[in-house]
């Protein structure tokens, strides 16, 4: 492996903590479908929908959740 290739590989590596931080900061949606059929007859269908995010990302800025004052 050449030196340039090793340098590119080192730059692409992301630690698990950094990856988790990016996912929680922006959020990620996982979706999938599994269907079990015999002779074109659907017997079982499973649908998966999951949203993974931090609460602060979902709730938005803190000042948007505050109740307006009696100004």
């Amino acid at each position: 492996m050449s030196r340039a290739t090793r340098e590119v590989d080192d730059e692409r590596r992301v630690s698990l903590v950094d990856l988790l931080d990016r996912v929680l900061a922006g959020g990620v949606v996982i979706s999938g479908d599994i269907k079990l059929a015999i002779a074109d007859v659907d017997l079982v269908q499973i649908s998966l929908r999951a949203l993974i995010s931090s609460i602060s990302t979902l709730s938005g800025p803190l000042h948007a959740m505050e109740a307006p004052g009696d100004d």
Side-chain angles (χ1 to χ4, degrees):
M1 189 183 303
S2 69
R3 181 177 177 191
T5 304
R6 274 188 258 135
E7 289 176 1
V8 170
D9 287 342
D10 289 342
E11 290 176 6
R12 289 185 182 173
R13 292 185 185 189
V14 178
S15 69
L16 183 59
V17 173
D18 292 336
L19 181 62
L20 185 61
D21 184 47
R22 290 180 190 179
V23 166
L24 291 178
V28 66
V29 176
I30 301 171
S31 64
D33 296 312
I34 299 173
K35 191 180 292 187
L36 177 62
I38 297 177
D40 290 332
V41 176
D42 295 338
L43 300 175
V44 177
Q45 181 174 352
I46 300 172
S47 296
L48 169 70
R49 306 286 184 263
L51 171 65
I52 301 173
S53 181
S54 66
I55 293 175
S56 62
T57 301
L58 291 175
S59 64
L62 189 59
H63 67 305
M65 295 186 65
E66 295 176 356
D70 293 335
D71 297 305

